Amino acid sequence: MASTKRYSVIIIGAGISGITVAKELSENGVDDFVILEATDRIGGRIRKETFGGVAVELGAGWIAGVGGEMTNPVWKLAKRFGIRTILSDYSNARFNIYDQSGKIYASELAAESYKKAVETAMRKLRNEEDDDIDELAMMPKTPIELAIDFILHDFEMAEVEPISTYTEYGEREFMVADERGYEHILYKLAETFLLNSDGKISDHCLQLNKVVREIQHSKNGVKVTTEDGSSYEADYLILSVSIGVLQSDLISFKPSLPRWKTEAIQKCDLIVYTKIFLKFPYKFWPCEPGKEFFIYAHERRGYYTFWQHMENAYPGSNILVVTLTNGESKRIEDQSDQQTLKEAMEVLRIMFGPDIPDATDILVPQWWNNRFQRGSYTNYPIVNNHIVHEVKAHVGRIFFTGEHTSERFSGFVHGGYLS
């Protein structure tokens, strides 16, 4: 039987928060730690994959909050490591909305629908009580209202509520378009304290493919058991897994976490955000300025609604991306990629005509069905800050970190970095 290894600190998860906390420990003289990562790579929900000859970001793909008086720390890292980025301007998307006959809605109608959606959202957020307001009448009903409601709440929430990311760091967003991937930032951070060879991390302090299934804890320390039967002991544990994993039964705690902790964890709302990539033999969509993002209005909210072409990021790539969220994300994860391709092509042929070519390839990430993620990011806004404090609060010798523990920046990469 293998002996149990003893450390000062065990870190579970090698995403942005896990790598950052390990770096902080190292810089403060604590080298007796181990990072246990369930997958075969670092990065967590920052993940690139080669598709159609270019690097695409399956998870986090933007650096949000740039151009303000304060500098976003992740933007600072991106500049330091020479990450190639492209400015994303969503402002014209609302004027590129296709109806179910393939025509673009008149800009006046789009502007009116957008204004109505913003007003409704602001009223709900402020909990205004007005007997003269018919809430049912204000609900989005038509395809264009549903489409705008989708892009407003799933992409442009800063329009209706001040979000710390944008008020503190600036309103601009930059998409990562670098062949090394967004994850290159994590590898460069890891290089400062982990041994590496030929660009690959070879340090024993990072152990990959270690799926933690049980955490025993007491006033004397912690003991961690992994799926392959390995065990590790430490004085302290830092848990940087996603809120979705904490909500699942992947990791058991002995004794169980206190009720106030588990209730706070279960109250967190997790967004599933799926970018589907489609490769074509040639481009058939508009590529002039202001056309990077376009919308499909359907009677079902979020049905292949938000589209982006990749020509600004990778000219000549002939790749389209369509973003689905939550219920639609879960639905497509449970069906074949062939069925998803069929549905996406039907929508594209409505917008651009029956003679467009078939996609030659499709890439559908799995975030909801991935037991090591169980979603994409914590929902914003978390109305009750008390929940955030309880989610972040330590339990004995177990400490919690990650974007879900950030009161001001939950849901963002810099939220994980600063947590």
Side-chain angles (χ1 to χ4, degrees):
M1 183 175 179
S3 60
T4 299
K5 307 169 189 66
R6 181 81 188 190
Y7 300 89
S8 293
V9 182
I10 296 172
I11 301 166
I12 300 178
I16 185 71
S17 58
I19 292 296
T20 302
V21 76
K23 182 174 180 292
E24 290 289 325
L25 288 173
S26 179
E27 291 174 348
N28 284 279
V30 181
D31 295 316
D32 186 22
F33 64 82
V34 65
I35 308 170
L36 303 179
E37 166 56 40
T39 70
D40 61 358
R41 47 174 288 279
I42 69 171
R45 286 164 282 173
I46 299 175
R47 180 181 178 183
K48 73 152 187 174
E49 189 160 322
T50 299
F51 176 79
V54 300
V56 296
E57 300 294 339
L58 305 191
W62 277 267
I63 302 174
V66 178
E69 293 184 5
M70 297 176 61
T71 302
N72 185 320
V74 174
W75 178 248
K76 187 181 297 184
L77 290 172
K79 303 309 287 183
R80 173 182 166 191
F81 299 134
I83 299 295
R84 178 175 175 262
T85 59
I86 302 294
L87 176 66
S88 290
D89 182 3
Y90 303 109
S91 62
N92 290 313
R94 70 195 73 165
F95 301 116
N96 299 325
I97 304 179
Y98 290 79
D99 66 19
Q100 289 175 281
S101 69
K103 296 179 180 178
I104 294 180
Y105 282 96
S107 58
E108 295 81 4
L109 177 59
E112 180 183 345
S113 299
Y114 190 84
K115 180 181 178 182
K116 175 183 175 183
V118 170
E119 291 174 348
T120 301
M122 290 179 69
R123 185 173 293 111
K124 288 181 179 179
L125 287 168
R126 292 169 181 169
N127 293 316
E128 292 181 352
E129 295 183 1
D130 191 335
D131 294 336
D132 296 330
I133 297 297
D134 187 341
E135 289 294 331
L136 185 61
M138 295 295 288
M139 291 293 290
K141 299 182 182 66
T142 65
I144 187 173
E145 289 174 345
L146 290 166
I148 288 177
D149 183 75
F150 179 81
I151 63 172
L152 177 67
H153 289 279
D154 290 61
F155 295 93
E156 299 182 10
M157 202 63 195
E159 294 272 354
V160 296
E161 180 179 20
I163 294 178
S164 297
T165 287
Y166 302 107
T167 58
E168 295 190 23
Y169 294 138
E171 297 182 354
R172 291 193 293 172
E173 298 188 26
F174 285 80
M175 185 177 75
V176 173
D178 193 300
E179 290 293 346
R180 299 167 298 176
Y182 208 147
E183 63 190 35
H184 183 66
I185 292 176
L186 276 80
Y187 280 95
K188 295 302 288 184
L189 290 175
E191 280 180 8
T192 65
F193 65 96
L194 293 176
L195 297 175
N196 64 91
S197 176
D198 297 326
K200 294 184 178 180
I201 299 170
S202 55
D203 201 304
H204 69 277
C205 289
L206 171 66
Q207 299 196 20
L208 303 176
N209 300 304
K210 291 295 183 179
V211 182
V212 173
R213 298 306 308 270
E214 182 181 275
I215 298 172
Q216 299 179 38
H217 57 107
S218 70
K219 63 180 181 179
N220 298 317
V222 295
K223 181 178 181 180
V224 170
T225 304
T226 58
E227 205 163 61
D228 63 4
S230 301
S231 60
Y232 306 80
E233 292 183 353
D235 298 324
Y236 297 95
L237 177 97
I238 300 175
L239 200 51
S240 71
V241 299
S242 73
I243 194 70
V245 169
L246 291 176
Q247 291 175 342
S248 75
D249 59 1
L250 179 66
I251 302 175
S252 64
F253 294 84
K254 293 185 178 180
S256 299
L257 293 176
R259 183 175 176 179
W260 61 264
K261 186 72 172 184
T262 57
E263 287 183 350
I265 289 170
Q266 293 302 326
K267 285 177 182 177
C268 286
D269 187 17
L270 195 70
I271 294 291
V272 188
Y273 185 101
T274 308
K275 293 179 284 188
I276 300 171
F277 299 86
L278 299 164
K279 172 73 173 179
F280 291 90
Y282 57 86
K283 60 178 178 286
F284 51 82
W285 49 86
C287 289
E288 59 263 31
K291 298 292 185 181
E292 179 180 2
F293 302 96
F294 53 97
I295 311 298
Y296 173 61
H298 192 270
E299 61 265 16
R300 193 159 91 203
R301 185 186 185 277
Y303 185 79
Y304 297 94
T305 299
F306 196 86
W307 294 81
Q308 176 188 8
H309 70 67
M310 297 286 286
E311 293 303 306
N312 291 353
Y314 295 111
S317 60
N318 301 332
I319 293 174
L320 287 177
V321 187
V322 59
T323 299
L324 279 64
T325 61
N326 297 330
E328 286 298 308
S329 290
K330 296 175 184 179
R331 183 183 69 81
I332 61 103
E333 283 198 22
D334 288 335
Q335 68 184 22
S336 68
D337 287 355
Q338 289 74 21
Q339 178 61 28
T340 300
L341 177 59
K342 177 177 179 291
E343 294 172 356
M345 287 307 305
E346 287 173 351
V347 169
L348 286 171
R349 289 195 164 109
I350 288 173
M351 290 191 286
F352 300 110
D355 298 328
I356 64 172
D358 289 324
T360 57
D361 201 1
I362 185 172
L363 176 58
V364 184
Q366 299 271 321
W367 291 112
W368 174 248
N369 288 330
N370 183 336
R371 67 179 181 142
F372 304 140
Q373 302 298 342
R374 297 299 294 171
S376 302
Y377 57 88
T378 311
N379 192 17
Y380 188 90
I382 297 176
V383 177
N384 189 343
N385 288 336
H386 184 63
I387 295 176
V388 187
H389 297 152
E390 291 187 333
V391 167
K392 185 173 184 176
H394 70 95
V395 175
R397 291 175 176 262
I398 301 176
F399 292 80
F400 298 80
T401 188
E403 53 87 12
H404 53 280
T405 67
S406 175
E407 182 177 333
R408 294 182 298 156
F409 306 122
S410 64
F412 293 96
V413 174
H414 51 274
Y417 177 75
L418 294 170
S419 64

